Amino acid sequence: MPEIISIGYFIRDLIVLVATSIIVVVLLAMGGKTKKNLGFSYFIRAFNSLLLAFSLIVVAQVIGVLLRTTVLNNDPTYSWIRSAMLTAGALLLLVSSVMIYLPFARGEYMIVPIASEPADSIRYGAYWGERGRAHLIFTELTKRYRMPGIAVTRDPPDMFRRKLGLKLIPVMWVSTVQHGDAVSPTKLEVIMDNLRRFLETANIDKVILIDCVEYFILENGEDAVLKFITSIKDFATLNRGLVIVTVDKESLNERTFSILTSELKPIADLEKTLAR
């Protein structure tokens, strides 16, 4: 073990090293999806600058830790290199921050609320129906009526879209499989948060398909799922949303089926509205 010259500075630099290393790991882990969702190359460069800044700080902190030991023994050359890397990291942090806001200051981008006039005939809220009819209505709303939609299903995204003849509709794959596109069925609060943000994103008509109620009940219990469904219904009613819930009577007990069908409107009502 190298002899430690200054235990206080050593511990300080070690703590900073661990903290910045965690930040780099988190940025790398979220990098793929983050860049995909950022969309514009300008913002992707800002993210890359942020990642590079923290990477430089990590390397500088490694040098800082070693400087406190007999490995580098406060070598002035490495002290200068460390200072240069910390300065470069700080400048890159500043650059990445400025890059986020500069396009808006230049007028190159602007945030415009997305809105459309509501359809007078559609009653927002939640509907229930058997799987085949629910899939048909969801497909009609997303293709014919061009409504933004999202599906919560047991099928992997590509399989689900292929089955319904869709190409781009976002799919939340409910599964215990460890996969980037999958979300655990027990994480109802995560699914709820995603659906809530989808409903609140824009002031336009939108539709959600929940295609796995039975699986949710199996993993979470009836009361938790009933609360989840009624909460989504309320969010949809307030935010111009339609929620279509597939219900298989044979897979549910009488109490659960009774509560669901009393809380949700029958899909026949929605079919009549669309047929007008």
Side-chain angles (χ1 to χ4, degrees), residues 13-250:
D13 289 341
L14 189 60
I15 292 173
V16 175
L17 172 60
V18 171
T20 50
S21 297
I22 291 173
I23 292 174
V24 169
V25 170
V26 170
L27 289 174
L28 287 172
M30 63 188 286
K33 284 193 173 181
T34 300
K35 291 178 182 179
K36 180 180 178 182
N37 292 329
L38 284 172
F40 298 105
S41 59
Y42 192 91
F43 298 121
I44 293 174
R45 288 196 296 272
F47 179 85
N48 289 336
S49 296
L50 181 67
L51 178 59
L52 180 57
F54 278 105
S55 299
L56 285 172
I57 294 172
V58 166
V59 175
Q61 286 308 115
V62 170
I63 296 174
V65 169
L66 295 178
L67 283 169
R68 308 302 176 186
T69 71
T70 54
V71 174
L72 295 181
N73 198 27
N74 280 326
D75 186 317
T77 301
Y78 283 100
S79 295
W80 183 89
I81 293 173
R82 178 175 182 266
S83 297
M85 295 183 75
L86 287 173
T87 301
L91 288 173
L92 281 170
L93 283 174
L94 175 63
V95 168
S96 63
S97 300
V98 172
M99 287 179 71
I100 294 295
Y101 297 102
L102 193 57
F104 297 98
R106 291 174 174 172
E108 297 173 4
Y109 297 100
M110 62 183 299
I111 299 175
V112 179
I114 300 174
S116 67
E117 294 300 320
D120 295 332
S121 57
I122 292 180
R123 293 178 60 196
Y124 303 118
Y127 297 80
W128 72 274
E130 58 89 20
R131 182 162 280 104
R133 293 172 72 185
H135 285 183
L136 284 174
I137 292 295
F138 180 74
T139 303
E140 183 176 8
L141 290 171
T142 54
K143 295 182 74 173
R144 178 182 168 191
Y145 289 86
R146 304 293 183 184
M147 281 191 192
I150 187 170
V152 183
T153 176
R154 289 279 290 124
D155 293 328
D158 289 341
M159 180 186 297
F160 176 82
R161 284 189 285 259
R162 189 162 53 246
K163 184 165 63 176
L164 271 66
L166 302 170
K167 295 181 179 179
L168 300 175
I169 290 298
V171 174
M172 294 181 66
W173 177 24
V174 181
S175 174
T176 56
V177 172
Q178 297 299 313
H179 191 280
D181 293 328
V183 58
S184 172
T186 60
K187 294 184 176 179
L188 289 179
E189 70 285 353
V190 174
I191 298 170
M192 169 75 78
D193 187 58
N194 281 315
L195 295 180
R196 177 186 58 80
R197 285 190 285 112
F198 170 75
L199 287 167
E200 294 176 349
T201 296
N203 192 20
I204 58 177
D205 297 341
K206 53 197 85 75
V207 58
I208 294 171
L209 174 68
I210 299 179
D211 197 28
C212 50
V213 168
E214 299 86 0
Y215 186 50
F216 277 146
I217 291 174
L218 179 66
E219 295 290 339
N220 301 278
E222 296 170 357
D223 291 341
V225 175
L226 289 171
K227 181 179 179 181
F228 167 78
I229 294 295
T230 53
S231 295
I232 290 297
K233 179 195 76 171
D234 293 341
F235 280 124
T237 302
L238 293 172
N239 294 280
R240 294 178 59 181
L242 298 172
V243 179
I244 301 173
V245 182
T246 62
V247 175
D248 181 3
K249 184 177 181 180
E250 302 303 319

